[in-house]
Amino acid sequence: MASVDFEHVDKAYASGSLALSDCTLHVEDGELMAVVGPSGCGKSTLLRLLAGLESVTRGTLRIGERVVNDWTPQQRNVAMVFQDYALYPHKSVRGNLEFPLRMRRLTKDEMRRRVEWAADLLGLEAKLDRLPRELSGGERQRVAMGRALVREPAVFLLDEPLSNLDAKLRSEMRAEIGELQRRTATTMLYVTHDQVEAMTLGTRVTVLDRGRVQQISAPRELYERPANVFVAGFIGNPPMNLFPMRVSIDGGSPRVELDGQALRVDGEIASSLAPFAGRRLTGGVRPEALRLAKPGEASIRAVVEHTEALGYETLAAVRPGGAHPSEGGRWMVRLPSAAELAKGQTIEIAFDRAALHLFDEHGQALGGAAPR
Ligand code: ADP
């Protein structure tokens, strides 16, 4: 096994598009790093560079301590599993698992040992003589992974490997991949556009947007302390409510406007926001951090536009700022299912100061702005 390093890596395709820009990323030996971002953000490019299927335009790529920029894919000893893995239809599971080993000068015993090890790891012992068409979707996916594992790669790359599976199977396979990674302690890069997959699988998660690394953090940190507006709006379902926010000093005390609406704030909140007076900030509050205000509490007035009763909770889309849609954006609020809201109803919503995220004029999180 080995660590992986991208050091200031750029990748420009012949078409001129810069698919990765100044990408710096360290993956520990034995770590499962999830890489997530919207379609076209450069995720596959990142893996293809590491596998040696594309060349680096600028920067350094290391596997272990070695610089591998000029190494062939074979020299790198990296295994890759794609969404569209293709098994050999006329070969048995054993034949498929053996295939990548045939190119190598391995003894028959060694080949058998590796195939049986992978089959055991993946629960395929009883299926070794079956053909791919005699397997379920999940089993076929496992064979594809086994075929990569038998090579005992230094690094294991997975590119949206579960996209073709239905939701239930995806969640089962996700758990299996996590377990497999822990048992084998293989260094793994797992690319997905699905934040749930990234958050539940990754020891750490790298968020990419338009070819740039936005944040590399443990899942919880990513959720609790997004580094910028992009990450705040990408991680979480529904995502964080983001809104323009102005703080001004009015007669000595700070006045806060959220989404164009003056907010009555208590003394503690006001004094914590005073240092930001005069600035155009972006505020953020997660839907689950909003609640119906208690009487007399500092609150935001909002009109209910739409509700979804999910049984265990109610999701409401509300428009702060009362009756004038032009004044405010739309916020999502997550409330206990007991909350009965009607479309058009005016409600007062509140949140704790610790739940308020602040971002500067460039969309970067203001450190220490939300003490917890
Ligand atoms: P993702 O995997 O996140 O969807 P990709 O890494 O596939 O993103 O693509 C990143 C960007 O690079 C996109 O704008 C895409 O159009 C471009 N791109 C990808 N592959 C090529 C290629 N072979 N030639 C030219 N441009 C490419």
Side-chain angles (χ1 to χ4, degrees):
M1 304 308 148
S3 59
V4 167
D5 279 283
F6 284 74
E7 295 169 3
H8 304 289
V9 168
D10 283 353
K11 173 61 186 175
Y13 284 108
S15 59
S17 67
L18 197 57
L20 280 183
S21 177
D22 198 23
C23 175
T24 294
L25 172 66
H26 172 76
V27 187
E28 296 278 346
D29 186 357
E31 182 176 19
L32 199 170
M33 175 68 86
V35 180
V36 68
S39 174
C41 71
K43 304 182 295 293
S44 299
T45 298
L46 191 100
L47 292 196
R48 292 171 62 78
L49 287 175
L50 193 56
L53 303 174
E54 297 284 351
S55 61
V56 165
T57 307
R58 197 180 64 102
T60 307
L61 211 54
R62 285 178 207 273
I63 297 178
E65 295 302 310
R66 318 254 199 109
V67 175
V68 299
N69 288 39
D70 299 326
W71 287 21
T72 63
Q74 289 72 25
Q75 287 171 318
R76 297 184 191 202
N77 193 21
V78 162
M80 198 154 168
V81 176
F82 302 92
Q83 171 182 348
D84 299 313
Y85 57 87
L87 302 179
Y88 296 101
H90 304 300
K91 287 188 196 294
S92 64
V93 169
R94 183 186 292 280
N96 270 281
L97 291 175
E98 277 176 358
F99 191 77
L101 300 177
R102 290 193 178 276
M103 305 292 155
R104 305 176 172 207
R105 284 189 222 103
L106 294 179
T107 63
K108 271 217 151 59
D109 279 351
E110 175 62 9
M111 193 138 85
R112 177 185 292 270
R113 184 194 68 76
R114 290 202 194 184
V115 166
E116 285 174 3
W117 166 77
D120 177 47
L121 206 57
L122 295 160
L124 291 167
E125 308 96 317
K127 314 280 161 105
L128 281 170
D129 297 322
R130 296 228 185 140
L131 292 173
R133 66 163 182 275
E134 297 168 324
L135 301 176
S136 70
E139 287 163 349
R140 280 199 290 268
Q141 180 66 47
R142 274 186 239 148
V143 177
M145 300 218 306
R147 209 168 46 174
L149 279 173
V150 289
R151 293 171 45 196
E152 301 187 343
V155 184
F156 197 2
L157 310 181
L158 296 108
D159 191 353
E160 308 249 6
L162 308 182
S163 304
N164 288 344
L165 306 179
D166 66 44
K168 182 166 175 290
L169 195 52
R170 215 161 46 219
S171 123
E172 283 170 19
M173 286 301 294
R174 195 160 70 213
E176 279 185 26
I177 292 176
E179 179 59 25
L180 183 74
Q181 195 275 335
R182 279 187 289 279
R183 280 172 62 188
T184 57
T186 311
T187 309
M188 232 185 230
L189 271 88
Y190 187 104
V191 155
T192 175
H193 66 278
D194 179 348
Q195 52 153 317
V196 173
E197 216 161 274
M199 297 286 277
T200 50
L201 259 180
T203 321
R204 289 186 302 154
V205 179
T206 297
V207 183
L208 276 182
D209 182 39
R210 286 174 291 171
R212 290 187 174 270
V213 172
Q214 304 293 315
Q215 185 168 0
I216 305 173
S217 294
R220 185 152 180 192
E221 177 86 1
L222 213 56
Y223 175 83
E224 290 181 352
R225 294 176 192 274
N228 58 36
V229 167
F230 177 81
V231 178
F234 189 76
I235 300 292
N237 188 22
M240 187 185 286
N241 298 299
L242 295 163
F243 40 83
M245 188 169 147
R246 299 197 67 150
V247 181
S248 53
I249 303 288
D250 186 3
S253 60
R255 185 185 132 86
V256 180
E257 266 181 38
L258 297 187
D259 238 354
Q261 182 180 189
L263 177 69
R264 282 185 293 128
V265 291
D266 61 31
E268 193 192 338
I269 292 185
S271 53
S272 79
L273 293 176
F276 303 110
R279 295 180 61 177
R280 284 179 178 278
L281 305 180
T282 298
V285 180
R286 294 205 178 272
E288 48 276 31
L290 289 165
R291 53 183 153 75
L292 295 177
K294 299 184 219 44
E297 188 179 20
S299 63
I300 300 160
R301 179 158 298 171
V303 176
V304 177
E305 286 203 326
H306 175 73
T307 62
E308 274 177 50
L310 300 174
Y312 52 94
E313 67 178 13
T314 294
L315 276 180
V318 306
R319 195 174 282 284
H324 305 290
S326 60
E327 280 183 21
R330 209 177 195 225
W331 291 21
M332 293 302 294
V333 188
R334 223 167 163 165
L335 298 168
S337 57
E340 291 202 3
L341 301 178
K343 193 170 177 232
Q345 184 183 343
T346 298
I347 57 173
E348 296 285 338
I349 49 180
F351 55 86
D352 294 334
R353 170 66 182 94
L356 175 63
H357 296 255
L358 292 177
F359 304 93
D360 70 12
E361 292 79 353
H362 307 289
Q364 299 301 313
L366 286 162
R372 267 155 251 241

